[in-house]
Amino acid sequence: MDKPSIKLIALDMDGTLLNTEGEISQGNQKAIAQAEEKGIHVVLSTGRSRPTSIEFAESLKLSSYIINVNGSEIWDGEGNLIERTILQPDYIQEMWDLKQKHKLTFWAVTSEKVWRDEFPTDITNHEWLKFGYDIHDDDTRKLVLDTLTKNKNLEITNSSPTNLEINALGINKAKALRTVCERLNLSMNEVMAMGDSLNDIAMITKAGVGVAMGNAQDVVKEAADWITKTNDQDGVAEAIYHWALK
């Protein structure tokens, strides 16, 4: 494909920007700094909450938007909340009941924290952004997925092959990126989006250049325009040099 003019780079974090140690390599840091110097917006687009991603944005000296919780939140470079889409408490109750029934490992994100080892007694007192399960048994994961799929008000993806991530219907990274592009007066054709999991497919297919990591799930590679190296081989840097810093 021809190389479009890239004005914005959207980066997933886990499995993409971060290596298996959960760190940003020097190679990736250098490429991102060069993209920023060229005036390209670098936007973290992650399933993570703001508190678990902001330190990485600050370490890279990023000044643009951050898309959190798969698109449930959009923040600007000054730390102002632009958009937040919440999950209804009764859906959260259903997901909690499933967790209890099957004794599942879970995490859940509210506007103020990530819940892992505890859970609030009054679900209605919180703004819920996402609920997640980590299920290593394939049969149990399929059973839970089939149950959740019956609720047509949920957006279900994953950020690793063993987990399920549930947001409000219509929430995904592509939709959030479109909002960011509108605010920056850019088109999606000027975006390069990079990721490794199901929650990245929407932005990978809608961006001008969709890049799958070498370690991405097969379905993500099939959806992408280009496959870069793995997250342990500076795959982000390789894609930036190939597509944005030509």
Side-chain angles (χ1 to χ4, degrees):
M1 63 183 287
D2 294 332
K3 292 188 179 180
S5 177
I6 299 300
K7 305 282 179 64
L8 188 152
I9 298 168
L11 297 176
D12 169 54
M13 290 181 64
D14 294 281
T16 302
L17 173 63
L18 306 181
N19 60 24
T20 47
E21 304 294 316
E23 296 168 345
I24 305 172
S25 69
Q26 286 190 320
N28 284 348
Q29 287 176 33
K30 185 179 170 191
I32 288 167
Q34 287 180 24
E36 285 258 310
E37 281 168 25
K38 194 182 170 185
I40 297 171
H41 295 270
V42 179
V43 172
L44 299 185
S45 185
T46 177
R48 288 180 175 231
S49 64
R50 182 170 176 82
T52 57
S53 58
I54 188 63
E55 65 185 272
F56 292 99
E58 289 171 348
S59 74
L60 292 167
K61 298 182 173 61
L62 300 183
S63 56
S64 197
Y65 292 79
I66 301 181
I67 293 166
N68 286 118
V69 210
N70 292 337
S72 283
E73 287 186 338
I74 304 170
W75 299 80
D76 71 11
E78 281 74 55
N80 302 305
L81 180 67
I82 303 303
E83 209 172 87
R84 175 180 284 154
T85 307
I86 60 174
L87 268 166
Q88 291 184 24
D90 49 339
Y91 301 154
I92 297 294
Q93 184 67 59
E94 285 174 33
M95 290 182 251
W96 176 250
D97 293 344
L98 264 178
K99 179 260 182 231
Q100 297 286 72
K101 180 181 177 182
H102 298 288
K103 299 181 172 58
L104 304 173
T105 302
F106 88 104
W107 75 102
V109 183
T110 58
S111 55
E112 78 275 9
K113 68 178 283 186
V114 179
W115 302 81
R116 290 186 188 277
D117 304 319
E118 53 175 339
F119 204 69
T121 48
D122 188 355
I123 288 173
T124 57
N125 268 354
H126 302 270
E127 288 185 309
W128 297 93
L129 305 175
K130 184 175 77 171
F131 199 99
Y133 301 100
D134 194 27
I135 309 171
H136 287 262
D137 180 74
D138 292 346
D139 293 336
T140 306
R141 191 182 326 106
K142 185 180 185 308
L143 182 67
V144 172
L145 177 60
D146 289 346
T147 305
L148 291 170
T149 305
K150 290 172 186 166
N151 185 338
K152 301 304 180 191
N153 297 301
L154 303 176
E155 192 86 15
I156 306 167
T157 60
N158 75 24
S159 59
S160 84
T162 62
N163 78 23
L164 296 171
E165 298 203 346
I166 303 97
N167 291 81
L169 183 68
I171 290 301
N172 59 58
K173 294 179 179 184
K175 180 176 181 287
L177 264 180
R178 220 174 267 117
T179 300
V180 168
C181 283
E182 284 167 9
R183 295 177 71 92
L184 293 172
N185 207 17
L186 300 176
S187 82
M188 287 292 282
N189 284 337
E190 297 172 299
V191 173
M192 174 170 71
M194 245 179 283
D196 71 309
S197 297
L198 295 189
N199 64 346
D200 301 309
I201 286 182
M203 70 172 181
I204 282 172
T205 54
K206 294 290 189 281
V209 178
V211 177
M213 302 302 293
N215 52 286
Q217 296 172 42
D218 287 343
V219 66
V220 182
K221 290 179 178 177
E222 287 160 19
D225 299 306
W226 200 69
I227 300 169
T228 188
K229 291 177 181 173
T230 72
N231 63 322
D232 283 329
Q233 298 170 314
D234 295 358
V236 164
E238 182 183 52
I240 289 174
Y241 290 128
H242 183 84
W243 291 101
L245 297 175
K246 55 185 183 289

